[in-house]
């Protein structure tokens, strides 16, 4: 049974993963990098839970928060049954974290999972002494709302580890798991990112405005959100990181980040997280 869950990273994804676990009755520890980040994560969790309470999704904010501790000490994860990494989408940072988690987490049966969008799981597994217990458990933003989780075992992952993760995701968290091979982008992003990049190229070329591109897909193809608005939601830095990872693995031109995307990331125009991307924070 997985009862004690650790989450490394308290940003949008990490806080969402922590929230769904606490709402499912799990004991959750979130680890952040500084006291300021700890406070920001607490506020993010409280705000999300208050919205859930107002919509009747939970009965008590305080009851859920009581199951979550937010700290800036990685060693607090020593007794966890499952640790989910949800830090910056950067290979070096993730591999270093997995080395440390391998040393810190006591139980040899504990699962070390990554929420990476694109980095091959094998690169994370091989830096540990327990590659059979490492896999990708990729949630989607916003985590409390979206039901999908991609399960990504590496060539070294024990099938029993994957099945434990599947039972946890589906039976405990009430989400739907799909199986993915350990290839950059997995299933969803391998399809989604080229689509978003194509929309960015269309905007960049002057073929259509951002509004018309998005309205076209929402009203003409029944998409719930246009590709450029979705890029803002994901974060343009994350879109670029996934595109770069896909290109590094497959070397196909459709995965190449357009110059406009590169310039926007360089300028810090990252979408909703910074208040400005293809749209400003008020959607205009």
């Amino acid at each position: 049974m997985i009862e004690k869950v650790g989450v490394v990273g308290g940003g949008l994804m990490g806080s969402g993963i922590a929230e769904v676990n606490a709402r499912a009755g799990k004991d959750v520890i979130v680890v952040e990098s500084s006291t300021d980040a700890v406070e920001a994560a607490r506020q993010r969790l409280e705000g999300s839970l208050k919205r859930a309470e107002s919509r009747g999704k939970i009965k008590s904010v305080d009851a859920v928060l009581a199951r979550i501790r937010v700290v800036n000490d990685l060693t607090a994860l020593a007794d966890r049954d499952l640790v989910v990494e949800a830090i910056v989408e950067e290979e070096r940072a993730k591999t270093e974290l997995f080395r440390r988690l391998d040393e810190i987490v006591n139980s040899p049966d504990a699962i070390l999972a990554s929420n990476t969008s694109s980095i091959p799981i094998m690169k994370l597994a091989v830096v540990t002494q327990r590659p059979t217990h490492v896999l990708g458990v990729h949630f989607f933003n916003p985590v409390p709302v979206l039901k999908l989780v991609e399960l990504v075992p590496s060539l070294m992952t024990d099938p029993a580890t994957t099945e434990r993760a599947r039972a946890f995701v589906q039976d405990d968290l009430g989400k739907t798991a799909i199986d993915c091979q350990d290839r950059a982008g997995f299933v969803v992003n391998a399809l989604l990112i080229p689509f978003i990049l194509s929309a960015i190229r269309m905007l960049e070329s002057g073929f259509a405005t951002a509004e018309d591109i998005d309205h076209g897909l929402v009203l003409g193809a029944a998409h719930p959100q246009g590709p450029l608005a979705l890029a803002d939601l994901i974060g343009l830095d994350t879109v670029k990181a996934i595109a770069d990872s896909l290109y590094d693995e497959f070397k196909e031109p459709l995965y190449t980040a357009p110059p406009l995307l590169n310039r926007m990331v360089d300028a810090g125009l990252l979408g909703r997280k910074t208040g400005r991307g293809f749209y400003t924070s008020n959607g205009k």
Side-chain angles (χ1 to χ4, degrees):
M1 291 287 291
I2 295 173
E3 296 297 337
K4 297 179 179 179
V5 176
V7 181
V8 185
L12 284 175
M13 292 300 299
S15 62
I17 294 167
E19 178 181 332
V20 297
N21 275 276
R23 285 168 61 170
K26 306 303 178 182
D27 176 74
V28 182
I29 295 176
V30 179
V31 179
E32 259 294 1
S33 57
S34 67
T35 54
D36 288 346
V38 165
E39 183 57 31
R42 285 180 180 144
Q43 292 178 4
R44 191 174 293 113
L45 281 160
E46 185 173 354
S48 179
L49 288 168
K50 284 181 177 177
R51 290 190 293 273
E53 185 182 51
S54 70
R55 295 167 184 159
K57 302 296 185 182
I58 61 172
K59 292 182 179 179
S60 169
V61 171
D62 290 341
V64 178
L65 284 177
R67 292 191 283 270
I68 305 173
R69 285 176 286 159
V70 187
V71 302
N72 64 350
D73 179 9
L74 203 62
T75 63
L77 302 177
D79 68 343
R80 300 292 94 178
D81 304 314
L82 165 69
V83 177
V84 182
E85 167 274 312
I87 65 170
V88 63
E89 193 71 358
E90 199 280 310
E91 184 179 325
R92 184 177 299 178
K94 290 183 186 292
T95 53
E96 178 56 31
L97 175 60
F98 270 76
R99 286 192 187 95
R100 294 190 64 196
L101 290 174
D102 187 42
E103 297 169 353
I104 289 167
V105 178
N106 290 328
S107 173
D109 291 327
I111 296 174
L112 303 183
S114 176
N115 187 59
T116 179
S117 303
S118 60
I119 294 171
I121 302 303
M122 182 61 80
K123 292 186 177 183
L124 308 178
V126 296
V127 303
T128 76
Q129 299 300 309
R130 58 179 100 190
T132 57
H133 286 68
V134 176
L135 82 164
V137 180
H138 181 222
F139 294 81
F140 289 81
N141 184 40
V143 180
V145 176
L146 295 186
K147 293 293 187 180
L148 183 67
V149 175
E150 292 179 320
L151 295 181
V152 192
S154 79
L155 292 173
M156 299 293 289
T157 305
D158 188 328
T161 300
T162 306
E163 291 313 307
R164 282 179 67 203
R166 187 191 316 281
F168 174 73
V169 163
Q170 298 194 153
D171 298 341
D172 293 3
L173 302 186
K175 294 189 179 291
T176 299
I178 62 172
D179 295 322
C180 308
Q181 290 191 9
D182 187 17
R183 301 289 186 270
F186 315 136
V187 170
V188 173
N189 281 316
L191 294 168
L192 177 63
I193 294 302
F195 170 62
I196 290 175
L197 298 181
S198 180
I200 296 172
R201 292 189 187 98
M202 181 175 283
L203 174 67
E204 185 176 51
S205 70
F207 193 93
T209 66
E211 292 82 0
D212 285 347
I213 292 168
D214 281 355
H215 286 157
L217 271 296
V218 170
L219 301 177
H223 287 209
Q225 189 173 37
L228 299 175
L230 180 56
D232 276 358
L233 176 63
I234 295 168
L236 301 193
D237 53 340
T238 301
V239 171
K240 174 175 161 47
I242 299 170
D244 290 346
S245 181
L246 285 162
Y247 184 79
D248 287 344
E249 177 135 322
F250 299 111
K251 299 297 188 293
E252 293 190 22
L254 77 163
Y255 298 128
T256 306
L260 176 60
L261 177 62
N262 292 330
R263 297 300 180 272
M264 292 179 74
V265 171
D266 289 344
L269 306 178
L270 307 182
R272 289 195 188 181
K273 67 177 75 175
T274 60
R276 182 181 168 192
F278 295 109
Y279 301 92
T280 59
S281 57
N282 64 4
K284 296 180 180 180

